């Protein structure tokens, strides 16, 4: 079941159904009339920006200096080939097909990514219409006319409501120079679409943008695609990646810590097997019993599981090693010594830690509720695997005498090298 954990198939909900925040959102969505397209995601294609300078970016203060755009010095929309590239992008965008699960409204709008007629705000088409349908000017005349168009005209009401059109934002004059332009459109993907299906739509529009860049002239290299909906996908993907990376890093680190605590490679191996069993059992419980997906909360809390899972086995393993100082050499004597001297402490620690987790069951936020479940089940499985599997291994096949002792192994290796 742990291997079946996947990205969420539905948008994540941070409060229970009976919470006032959830009820208010449902009431506002179902009880008030509004533009139907408002529930669909807005996407943007832009030209003129090559990269983002984040040299002054601070990880712990991300909004202090989020970055400065690096403008494309070769960008020149006054060139006929650049104008044609933007216009052709607008035309091809309208016919871009989307049969993905994320394009939930596509069947009602001809199976396209674009949400029907009037949902694309292509400023250059409107500029051409404003000029009376004539050929677009070039050179300095183009810039002066475009600036006049930006100041004196406004998008249609439909463009504003559906496509979020705004000439001030889409036609980027900075200090009198045209630095960037953008085309916005309303898509058939809902604005709140889960990662599992939404990232396919993101890949579709980014693939379309890449295809256009492959044939774009240097004077209008682009476009690049963006949407506020994509920010959540990037975050979720990074958290999921972080979970697996955390497990990949924490596993070997836990082995090294256990090896340092016990000075016995066999004990460390048994302990890591028990820890892996705890992690797999907890994640499997999340899928099989709770029906959870690998969302933001699970990804954050999942890394914590490893740290909690190590706690009990390391105490028992260390006490098993200490038994040799009391002239106990057989595995049964050592295991009995460990369970007598540390069993009660481990059990008491489990009760207090689980109690701390149980408090969070009273929280309204589903994130803290998930944390409570994960902590409680981690403690339960940690206790089960440490007193059950780990101690059973020690009683039956635990190291005896100097078996697995690092000091003895090092001496044997040294003698072998000297020979």
């Amino acid at each position: 079941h742990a291997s079946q954990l996947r990205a969420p198939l539905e948008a994540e909900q941070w409060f229970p159904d009976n919470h006032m925040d959830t009820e208010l959102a449902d009431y506002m969505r179902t009880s008030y009339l509004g533009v139907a397209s408002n529930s669909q995601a807005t996407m943007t294609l832009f030209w003129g920006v090559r990269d983002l300078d984040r040299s002054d970016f601070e990880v712990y203060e991300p909004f202090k200096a989020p970055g400065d755009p690096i403008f494309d010095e070769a960008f020149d929309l006054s060139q006929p080939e650049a104008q044609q590239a933007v216009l052709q992008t607008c035309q091809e965008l309208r016919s871009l097909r989307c049969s993905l699960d994320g394009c939930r409204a596509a069947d009602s709008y001809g199976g396209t990514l674009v949400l029907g007629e009037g949902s694309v705000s292509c400023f250059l088409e409107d500029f051409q219409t404003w000029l009376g349908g004539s050929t677009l000017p070039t050179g300095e005349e183009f810039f002066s006319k475009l600036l006049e168009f930006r100041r004196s005209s406004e998008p249609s009401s439909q463009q504003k409501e559906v496509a979020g059109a705004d000439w001030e934002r889409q036609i980027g004059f900075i200090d009198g120079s045209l630095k960037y332009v953008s085309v916005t459109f309303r898509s058939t993907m809902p604005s709140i679409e889960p990662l599992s299906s939404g990232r396919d739509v993101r890949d579709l529009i980014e693939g379309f943008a890449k295809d256009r860049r492959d044939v774009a002239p240097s004077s209008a290299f682009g476009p690049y695609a963006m949407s506020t909906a994509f920010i959540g996908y990037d975050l979720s993907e990074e958290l999921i990646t972080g979970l697996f990376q955390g497990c990949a890093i924490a596993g070997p680190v836990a082995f090294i810590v256990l090896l340092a605590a016990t000075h016995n490679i066999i004990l460390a191996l048994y302990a890591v097997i028990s820890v892996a069993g705890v992690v797999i059992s907890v994640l499997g419980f999340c899928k099989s019993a709770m029906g959870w997906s690998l969302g933001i909360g699970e990804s954050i809390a999942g890394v914590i599981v490893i740290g909690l899972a190590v706690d009990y086995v390391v105490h028992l393993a260390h006490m098993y090693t200490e038994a040799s100082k009391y002239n106990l050499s057989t595995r049964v004597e050592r295991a009995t010594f460990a369970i007598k001297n540390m069993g009660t402490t481990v059990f008491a620690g489990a009760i207090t830690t689980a109690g701390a987790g149980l408090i969070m069951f009273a929280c309204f936020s589903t994130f803290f509720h998930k944390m409570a479940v994960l902590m409680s089940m981690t403690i339960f499985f940690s206790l089960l695997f440490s007193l059950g599997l780990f101690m059973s291994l020690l009683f039956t096949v635990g190291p005896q005498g100097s078996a697995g002792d690092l000091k003895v192994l090092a001496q044997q290796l040294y003698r072998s090298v000297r020979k």
Side-chain angles (χ1 to χ4, degrees):
H1 288 286
S3 63
Q4 296 175 9
L5 282 169
R6 296 290 185 272
L9 297 176
E10 298 179 354
E12 294 198 59
Q13 184 173 314
W14 298 105
F15 295 100
D17 293 334
N18 62 345
H19 190 270
M20 59 182 179
D21 183 81
T22 306
E23 291 180 344
L24 177 61
D26 291 340
Y27 180 78
M28 295 291 289
R29 185 175 62 253
T30 58
S31 301
Y32 285 85
L33 295 177
V35 180
S37 59
N38 285 347
S39 60
Q40 305 301 121
T42 302
M43 300 182 185
T44 301
L45 298 173
F46 61 91
W47 293 258
V49 179
R50 279 282 190 173
D51 207 344
L52 193 65
D53 179 12
R54 307 188 74 184
S55 56
D56 296 329
F57 179 76
E58 296 183 22
V59 175
Y60 300 108
E61 293 185 82
F63 299 107
K64 182 178 180 181
D68 298 313
I70 300 175
F71 296 109
D72 186 356
E73 296 297 331
F75 176 65
D76 185 2
L77 201 57
S78 68
Q79 299 297 319
E81 63 272 14
Q83 298 168 0
Q84 183 58 36
V86 174
L87 290 171
Q88 189 171 351
T89 299
C90 294
Q91 294 167 6
E92 293 187 8
L93 177 63
R94 291 186 174 90
S95 59
L96 180 61
R97 309 292 297 179
C98 184
S99 58
L100 301 169
D101 293 339
C103 293
R104 300 184 184 275
D107 290 341
S108 301
Y109 293 92
T112 60
L113 176 63
V114 172
L115 193 73
E117 197 67 30
S119 60
V120 177
S121 173
C122 186
F123 75 96
L124 205 54
E125 291 177 343
D126 289 87
F127 177 49
Q128 194 169 31
T129 303
W130 182 77
L131 292 171
S134 60
T135 303
L136 291 171
T138 58
E140 290 300 323
E141 183 185 2
F142 171 81
F143 294 123
S144 61
K145 289 289 186 182
L146 183 62
L147 185 58
E148 183 184 352
F149 165 76
R150 181 177 182 258
R151 290 171 175 170
S152 62
S153 69
E154 288 188 0
S156 66
S157 58
Q158 183 179 14
Q159 284 181 317
K160 287 182 178 179
E161 292 178 352
V162 179
D166 183 351
W167 299 154
E168 292 289 328
R169 289 188 297 106
Q170 291 180 248
I171 305 172
F173 276 97
I174 300 177
D175 297 330
S177 299
L178 183 64
K179 294 293 187 180
Y180 69 91
V181 294
S182 66
V183 171
T184 62
F185 66 96
R186 187 77 68 166
S187 71
T188 51
M189 184 188 84
S191 55
I192 304 177
E193 183 68 15
L195 171 65
S196 58
S197 53
R199 62 183 168 189
D200 293 333
V201 181
R202 177 198 62 189
D203 294 343
L204 173 67
I205 187 60
E206 288 184 349
F208 170 78
K210 183 181 182 303
D211 291 341
R212 293 300 307 155
R213 288 198 300 273
D214 290 341
V215 297
S218 59
S219 55
F221 185 78
Y224 293 91
M226 63 161 290
S227 174
T228 53
F230 299 162
I231 299 173
Y233 303 152
D234 294 338
L235 172 63
S236 297
E237 286 181 329
E238 287 299 318
L239 288 173
I240 292 173
T241 301
L243 170 62
F244 291 113
Q245 288 179 345
C247 291
I249 295 171
V253 169
F255 178 78
I256 293 172
V257 170
L258 290 163
L259 196 60
T262 62
H263 295 172
N264 191 292
I265 193 169
I266 298 175
L267 283 177
L269 182 61
Y270 290 167
V272 166
I273 292 173
S274 299
V275 170
V278 174
V279 174
I280 293 172
S281 297
V282 171
L283 295 179
F285 176 84
C286 292
K287 178 63 179 178
S288 60
M290 304 303 294
W292 293 347
S293 300
L294 202 56
I296 293 176
E298 294 84 351
S299 299
I300 294 174
V303 182
I304 303 173
V305 170
I306 302 175
L308 292 173
V310 173
D311 193 20
Y312 304 139
V313 291
V314 71
H315 284 85
L316 292 169
H318 181 258
M319 193 56 62
Y320 186 93
T321 305
E322 287 291 305
S324 62
K325 297 180 180 179
Y326 295 86
N327 298 321
L328 302 175
S329 58
T330 67
R331 60 175 63 99
V332 174
E333 290 175 336
R334 286 184 171 188
T336 302
F337 179 83
I339 200 70
K340 280 184 177 180
N341 288 277
M342 194 56 66
T344 304
T345 303
V346 166
F347 187 76
I351 292 176
T352 55
T353 309
L358 291 174
I359 295 297
M360 288 189 288
F361 277 110
C363 297
F364 281 109
S365 173
T366 56
F367 174 80
F368 292 110
H369 183 270
K370 289 179 179 179
M371 282 290 294
V373 172
L374 284 165
M375 280 188 63
S376 301
M377 295 313 302
T378 300
I379 298 305
F380 170 75
F381 283 114
S382 295
L383 194 65
L384 183 66
F385 274 84
S386 60
L387 298 180
L389 175 64
F390 183 66
M391 290 308 303
S392 297
L393 287 172
L394 296 186
F395 270 109
T396 55
V397 289
Q400 299 188 104
S402 60
D405 189 276
L406 285 181
K407 184 177 180 181
V408 175
L409 291 174
Q411 291 173 348
Q412 291 176 350
L413 180 61
Y414 177 74
R415 286 194 294 267
S416 298
V417 172
R418 288 292 298 265
K419 291 180 181 179

